[in-house]
Amino acid sequence: MPLTRIFHGRRHILVTGLLFTLAMTGICILQPSFTTLLNNRIYDTILRNEKKISASNEVVIVDLDEKSLARFGQWPWPRYRVTELLDKIAALAPQVIALDIVFAEPDRTSLDHLEKTFLSEHAIQLTISGAPESLRNNDQAMAKALGRGPFILGYKFLYSEEKEADDGCVLHPVNVGFLSGKADQPSSHSFPRASDAACNLPLLARAVESSGFFDVQPDLDGIIRRVPLLIEYQGGYYPSLALAAMLYREETDQILVNHDSNGSLSLRWGLNTIPVDDNGYMLVNYRGGSGTFPSLSVADILDGKISPELLRGKIVFVGTSATGLRELRATPMDPAFPGVEVHATVADNILQGDFYSSPNYLVGLETMFVFAMGLLSTLLLTWSGAGAGVAVFAFIACLILVSTRWYFLSYGIPVMPLLPLFTLAGNFTLLTVQKFIIEEKRLKQRTGELAKAQEATITGLAALAETRDPETGGHILRTQRYVRTLAEELQKHEKYVRDIDNTAVEWLYKMAPLHDIGKVGIPDSILLKPGRLTAEEFEIMKHHPLLGSRALKIAAQHVDNKKFFQYAIDIAGGHHEKWDGSGYPLGLAGDSIPIAARLMALADVYDALISKRIYKDAMSHVAATTIIMKGSGTHFDPEVVDAFVKRQNTFKDIAAEFSSRDDEILTYPEEDEIFPEGMPEG
């Protein structure tokens, strides 16, 4: 088959695959929310199933746990006890101590505060003497403790549409520089912008050199997968609690925001480079579920039960896991993950440098991958068969899964397999269905061509028989339609509803032309003799049904559909049998005569009656109908005659439509004309 013809046959399939691929490519570019949600779930699954790097020993959590509350009372504690805790943590010589707690209000247990409260609310002047100066104002004492140690305070940014206002918060911005790898890129970038802050007491905030926000922003499904590292507030840039801790450790407050030539954004200082997205969010590489990092109880630290080796030189995050105080977050690894451990994880990511990243070019990379997999699947599926199509589907699906996993493990960039797999599955479904439809049309076309060839062969065989018979081709066309008309009428009869279905009607129609094929074996001297045959000649003529049925039985041995040929055998062998048993060649009677033969018998006689032959003139439809009705119960099956009477007008129309000059059919006879010599033999 020429290549152009093959391409033309596959063109519609190819176009369908390309259009679907382009549609999926467009979806990948637009990034609708439902694909983002599904991609996130796949990302979570990948993250949970991949072998995780263990948390380093450099990050430790000091936990205000249930044991601590049972030992020292409910929170909030008096600031003198918090001061004691801070001093004891600092005495263990960690590198940095980050507090995941905000101290927004003055301490109500300070003696100065109590004196003022009693005087203003109860008009009672308290006089407290002998108390050390450190207990008169706990906030001042705590500020001194914060100033002595490597402490970082935490605070929370707020977001609203109201105009930003200076509320007296003391925060610690970092110096941010912007660098672009492309001349046409802007020199700054868009980070989250806060309108307000829930901050610490200015007295406390001024005592430390650094502070950081502990805001985290979940995705649409409520899961924390990425966290902001920089937030813009009142024209300055402020670090997260974890980033502030790492900057303090490195003794710097300088950050370079680098937008390189391939579209990737990163934060740099010293030898550290953190990949972030366009809004300064870092994709968190979680180490596991809650409890991943070493955790020390506040109660044990206050009671002096902690070895200095556990905190010396470490990065410490102070938070809480106590019921009612802890801030639980949903992460890909754990639906109840303490917020302080999120900050610990970010710090550990920076320490170990094993980042995951979602660079700006990721959408473009995923789009190209979707298009490439869609194009590949389209080309392979277009020119593959059904079995090969399944193999192609499996191959490309494995290619997508293996390549995305390899890229994620090698580069830490999560190229999600969802849309490529959707594209592959959609192409496989659409192209397979379309190929099925095309093949079904082709099968119907081939079946139709085969049926036409079959019908032409049958008609040709019948015509071959009639080349030795004075009858004409019109006889074949008419008797075919007479048989079909009778069969369609008998379909309505309860007796024949199962035996004569639509398929049987079609087969009867196709096999009717073979009724006289046995005449091929009759000598010309008899077959072509003008006038009536002698008794001896007629006996020889009676053999043509047997000759025809035998020939068709031999042919039936070489086909699978023997029922189809059985109609031809019944028609050829039994169309001269009579209902009363006086017919030939076997003298069958009643229902022992096959129904196909009974239908053919009436059709053949009717056509013989209304047609002119060498030995007779044509008679009218009325006369032929009268003779057939008289033959009911003797020559013909009474039920077949009833069907004929109901459809006699159809018989008359068929005779008129398929008459020819040689037939000389009397289609408009005198109503009272009767064939004078009785019913002729077909």
Side-chain angles (χ1 to χ4, degrees):
M1 183 180 293
L3 184 60
T4 54
R5 186 174 177 184
I6 296 175
F7 177 77
H8 179 76
R10 302 280 181 172
R11 181 177 59 189
H12 296 296
I13 299 175
L14 182 64
V15 169
T16 298
L18 291 177
L19 289 176
F20 183 76
T21 297
L22 290 175
M24 293 303 297
T25 302
I27 290 175
C28 189
I29 294 172
L30 296 174
Q31 293 286 306
S33 58
F34 78 91
T35 61
T36 301
L37 289 172
L38 291 174
N39 277 330
N40 284 340
R41 293 303 175 91
I42 294 174
Y43 171 79
D44 295 347
T45 301
I46 295 173
L47 206 61
R48 285 193 294 268
N49 292 329
E50 291 300 331
K51 184 178 180 181
K52 306 305 298 175
I53 295 178
S54 300
S56 69
N57 293 323
E58 300 299 314
V59 180
V60 178
I61 293 174
V62 171
D63 187 13
L64 185 64
D65 55 7
E66 299 288 352
K67 176 182 177 181
S68 303
L69 297 185
R71 173 76 173 80
F72 295 101
Q74 67 180 14
W75 186 266
W77 287 347
R79 294 281 163 82
Y80 68 83
R81 181 162 290 126
V82 176
T83 300
E84 181 186 0
L85 172 65
L86 297 181
D87 283 337
K88 289 193 174 183
I89 295 175
L92 297 174
Q95 281 191 326
V96 60
I97 307 166
L99 304 180
D100 188 27
I101 304 170
V102 64
F103 301 94
E105 299 176 353
D107 181 41
R108 297 181 180 180
T109 64
S110 296
L111 296 181
D112 288 348
H113 183 80
L114 290 174
E115 288 178 349
K116 292 178 182 179
T117 301
F118 271 82
L119 182 60
S120 63
E121 294 185 6
H122 305 288
I124 298 175
Q125 179 68 53
L126 291 179
T127 301
I128 302 175
S129 60
E133 185 63 28
S134 61
L135 294 180
R136 296 204 62 84
N137 191 318
N138 293 337
D139 291 327
Q140 288 184 354
M142 181 176 172
K144 291 179 181 180
L146 290 172
R148 290 191 294 268
F151 290 103
I152 295 176
L153 289 178
Y155 56 88
K156 181 177 179 61
F157 276 123
L158 304 176
Y159 306 87
S160 67
E161 297 182 358
E162 297 179 2
K163 184 178 180 180
E164 298 174 357
D166 186 358
D167 56 2
C169 283
V170 177
L171 307 178
H172 300 82
V174 292
N175 295 315
V176 176
F178 294 89
L179 178 65
S180 176
K182 290 184 177 180
D184 59 346
Q185 292 290 350
S187 60
S188 62
H189 224 76
S190 175
F191 292 100
R193 178 175 295 180
S195 61
D196 201 351
C199 53
N200 294 279
L201 288 173
L203 173 66
L204 303 179
R206 292 191 187 97
V208 298
E209 297 180 9
S210 180
S211 61
F213 61 83
F214 43 71
D215 303 58
V216 290
Q217 184 64 42
D219 290 332
L220 293 176
D221 55 3
I223 295 178
I224 304 293
R225 298 181 181 88
R226 64 202 80 228
V227 296
L229 294 184
L230 286 177
I231 289 180
E232 184 179 356
Y233 176 61
Q234 295 184 351
Y237 293 92
Y238 296 84
S240 69
L241 187 65
L243 179 58
M246 299 307 298
L247 291 172
Y248 187 93
R249 179 176 179 268
E250 299 288 335
E251 298 182 352
T252 183
D253 64 351
Q254 305 288 329
I255 292 181
L256 180 65
V257 178
N258 182 43
H259 197 170
D260 61 24
S261 58
N262 64 6
S264 297
L265 194 68
S266 61
L267 305 183
R268 294 184 179 181
W269 74 92
L271 299 178
N272 298 285
T273 299
I274 306 175
V276 294
D277 64 16
D278 203 40
N279 294 317
Y281 279 71
M282 170 187 150
L283 196 59
V284 182
N285 184 357
Y286 288 98
R287 308 312 191 190
S290 61
T292 300
F293 295 90
S295 180
L296 305 177
S297 174
V298 165
D300 291 337
I301 292 177
L302 288 173
D303 289 337
K305 297 180 180 180
I306 299 298
S307 170
E309 298 300 323
L310 296 177
L311 289 183
R312 182 177 293 120
K314 309 293 184 179
I315 299 171
V316 176
F317 287 90
V318 180
T320 178
S321 67
T323 303
L325 298 180
R326 59 182 175 175
E327 182 183 28
L328 297 180
R329 300 286 187 173
T331 70
M333 314 300 292
D334 193 331
F337 197 79
V340 66
E341 290 198 46
V342 175
H343 307 306
T345 304
V346 173
D348 195 62
N349 286 177
I350 297 173
L351 280 171
Q352 300 201 53
D354 57 334
F355 300 105
Y356 293 152
S357 64
S358 179
N360 291 344
Y361 64 79
L362 180 58
V363 173
L365 182 64
E366 290 181 336
T367 300
M368 289 190 294
F369 190 56
V370 167
F371 182 77
M373 292 299 100
L375 182 61
L376 178 63
S377 63
T378 296
L379 294 176
L380 293 180
L381 290 171
T382 297
W383 274 278
S384 63
V390 175
V392 167
F393 177 86
F395 166 73
I396 299 180
C398 290
L399 178 64
I400 291 171
L401 294 173
V402 170
S403 60
T404 53
R405 183 176 183 273
W406 169 82
Y407 198 81
F408 183 49
L409 293 179
S410 300
Y411 299 99
I413 298 176
V415 178
M416 291 294 101
L418 175 69
L419 288 179
L421 288 174
F422 271 10
T423 304
L424 171 63
N427 269 340
F428 179 77
T429 302
L430 289 175
L431 271 57
T432 301
V433 169
Q434 191 166 10
K435 283 195 282 187
F436 174 78
I437 293 173
I438 291 174
E439 287 302 318
E440 187 178 35
K441 289 181 179 178
R442 288 178 178 173
L443 179 60
K444 288 182 179 179
Q445 183 179 0
R446 288 195 295 267
T447 302
E449 292 173 352
L450 181 62
K452 289 180 181 178
Q454 186 184 66
E455 189 172 347
T457 302
I458 294 170
T459 304
L461 289 172
L464 177 64
E466 294 206 359
T467 58
R468 305 189 60 253
D469 193 323
E471 296 178 356
T472 68
H475 173 68
I476 295 174
L477 299 176
R478 290 190 299 272
T479 52
Q480 267 191 308
R481 285 154 180 80
Y482 296 152
V483 169
R484 182 166 63 186
T485 300
L486 292 172
E488 288 173 347
E489 186 61 36
L490 283 180
Q491 274 188 302
K492 304 174 184 178
H493 201 293
E494 184 178 354
K495 178 180 177 180
Y496 300 102
V497 70
R498 296 181 59 184
D499 296 331
I500 306 180
D501 56 15
N502 292 335
T503 301
V505 172
E506 189 64 21
W507 287 352
L508 286 167
Y509 170 79
K510 290 183 177 181
M511 288 306 190
L514 297 179
H515 65 282
D516 275 339
I517 193 173
K519 288 183 178 180
V520 174
I522 303 300
D524 288 348
S525 59
I526 297 175
L527 189 64
L528 304 179
K529 178 181 178 180
R532 289 189 174 277
L533 302 177
T534 64
E536 293 77 9
E537 291 171 337
F538 189 60
E539 287 300 320
I540 295 174
M541 178 63 80
K542 287 182 178 180
H543 283 84
H544 81 268
L546 289 176
L547 295 175
S549 63
R550 288 172 185 170
L552 292 170
K553 286 178 181 178
I554 293 173
Q557 295 175 1
H558 302 283
V559 296
D560 294 329
N561 193 352
K562 292 181 171 52
K563 186 176 181 181
F564 177 72
F565 259 88
Q566 189 60 47
Y567 285 109
I569 294 169
D570 292 342
I571 287 172
H575 70 286
H576 283 295
E577 300 288 355
K578 296 183 179 180
W579 186 255
D580 61 3
S582 62
Y584 63 85
L586 301 178
L588 301 177
D591 289 334
S592 62
I593 306 171
I595 184 62
R598 285 180 261 161
L599 297 175
M600 191 68 232
L602 190 148
D604 195 32
V605 169
Y606 174 82
D607 199 66
L609 290 173
I610 65 168
S611 302
K612 181 179 179 179
R613 294 291 180 260
I614 297 174
Y615 52 85
K616 75 174 188 68
D617 292 327
M619 73 164 48
S620 70
H621 168 75
V622 173
T625 301
T626 302
I627 291 174
I628 288 175
M629 292 174 66
K630 289 180 179 179
S632 177
T634 54
H635 192 143
F636 307 111
D637 179 352
E639 292 172 347
V640 176
V641 174
D642 289 343
F644 165 74
V645 172
K646 293 177 182 178
R647 302 292 291 271
Q648 60 174 305
N649 289 335
T650 304
F651 270 64
K652 186 176 180 180
D653 294 339
I654 292 171
E657 182 179 357
F658 293 95
S659 63
S660 67
R661 184 179 302 174
D662 296 331
D663 287 325
E664 296 186 18
I665 295 175
L666 190 60
T667 56
Y668 298 100
E670 296 295 332
E671 293 297 323
D672 59 349
E673 182 182 357
I674 301 296
F675 192 74
E677 299 183 15
M679 196 180 310
E681 293 293 340

